[in-house]
Amino acid sequence: MADTREKILMTALQLFAKDGYEAVSVRTIAEELGMTKGALYRHYKNKRDIFDCIVERMIQIDAQRAREYHMPDEGYDTKPDAYENTSLQSIQKYTIEQFRFWTEDEFACRFRKMLTLEQYRNEEMAELYSQCIVAGPVRYMEDLFRELIQKGVLKEENPRQLAVEYYAPLFLLINVFDKTGEDEGYTEILSNHTKQFMQSHVKVSGEEEE
């Protein structure tokens, strides 16, 4: 039962990433799996139920990965201490791993492509795309940088400006990767970006603000 449920979930996500959520029906998913709609309904109530499970899986994966790299796994309002205690090293490493995750992990790639396809056709998908890939990560970095500025680790600058400056290359390189499907030195470019960013914005010991 668990194996069948997983196959349905992954097949649905594959089809959603290829054709878009709206274009795929329960019948299409069932036919792709060589099963009847009735058999599929024994595992999921409807297409929306499948979609909700996909989103829930993505949330769980995201939180697990954050903990693995010593990053906050919830919003600042819920866990402010996690943001206060995150190191620059963790941020740098997590950034590189996020590029690999969004471009190499099968589930993450398909999830991202599904949202990319649907963002212009479905308001809910557009909001989810923003939360997961655009505005959400920027807000996440803004909270981290604000805490690092308050601790005197980073120079006194606008944390939102820093967040956009830091995250933009990651977002761009993920989209550039989609054109070829190969890492043409993008990981190295991103790694150099994170190092140069920290060198430019880390507050040197004893440095006085102008």
Side-chain angles (χ1 to χ4, degrees):
M1 291 287 286
D3 287 346
T4 301
R5 186 176 170 84
E6 181 69 11
K7 286 178 182 178
I8 293 170
L9 189 77
M10 294 305 293
T11 299
L13 179 56
Q14 180 182 6
L15 292 171
F16 295 160
K18 177 176 174 288
D19 301 319
Y21 174 79
E22 296 293 346
V24 177
S25 66
V26 171
R27 181 183 297 278
T28 305
I29 299 168
E31 289 177 350
E32 185 72 16
L33 287 160
M35 66 194 314
T36 65
K37 288 173 60 178
L40 188 149
Y41 285 135
R42 286 199 287 271
H43 300 275
Y44 293 96
K45 292 182 292 186
N46 47 41
K47 187 173 75 165
R48 178 67 196 210
D49 188 25
I50 297 173
F51 173 77
D52 288 343
C53 288
I54 288 171
V55 173
E56 181 61 30
R57 171 80 62 86
M58 190 70 248
I59 292 172
Q60 291 173 354
I61 292 173
D62 190 51
Q64 181 180 344
R65 283 177 50 77
R67 291 190 293 270
E68 181 181 345
Y69 292 100
H70 307 290
M71 297 287 289
D73 61 353
E74 294 186 38
Y76 178 81
D77 291 341
T78 305
K79 282 188 175 181
D81 290 350
Y83 288 78
E84 295 169 6
N85 298 318
T86 301
S87 69
L88 289 176
Q89 292 75 18
S90 292
I91 293 173
Q92 286 180 275
K93 185 173 182 180
Y94 187 62
T95 301
I96 305 302
E97 293 305 320
Q98 282 297 85
F99 174 76
R100 294 194 175 109
F101 175 65
W102 284 116
T103 58
E104 297 177 7
D105 183 87
E106 182 179 73
F107 190 92
C109 285
R110 290 175 176 173
F111 181 81
R112 179 171 59 81
K113 289 176 181 178
M114 173 187 69
L115 296 184
T116 301
L117 279 176
E118 290 294 332
Q119 64 175 313
Y120 302 110
R121 297 184 289 209
N122 183 304
E123 186 175 336
E124 181 184 4
M125 294 284 190
E127 178 61 25
L128 194 55
Y129 176 83
S130 178
Q131 289 178 5
C132 294
I133 301 170
V134 188
V138 171
R139 185 166 53 250
Y140 184 75
M141 295 310 306
E142 180 182 0
D143 289 335
L144 285 167
F145 289 150
R146 185 186 61 251
E147 294 306 310
L148 288 168
I149 290 170
Q150 291 179 358
K151 289 173 65 177
V153 176
L154 295 180
K155 298 175 184 177
E156 286 285 347
E157 299 181 67
N158 185 318
R160 185 166 182 78
Q161 180 69 37
L162 291 181
V164 172
E165 179 183 335
Y166 185 80
Y167 181 68
L170 172 58
F171 177 79
L172 174 63
L173 290 173
I174 288 172
N175 284 275
V176 171
F177 176 92
D178 284 343
K179 299 298 181 182
T180 63
E182 297 181 4
D183 184 351
E184 299 177 352
Y186 302 141
T187 301
E188 183 178 358
I189 291 172
L190 187 60
S191 178
N192 289 335
H193 161 66
T194 65
K195 293 174 184 176
Q196 291 169 6
F197 179 91
M198 297 307 175
Q199 289 172 358
S200 298
H201 298 287
V202 167
K203 188 173 182 180
V204 178
S205 180
E207 180 180 9
E208 295 184 1
E209 301 294 338
E210 295 182 358

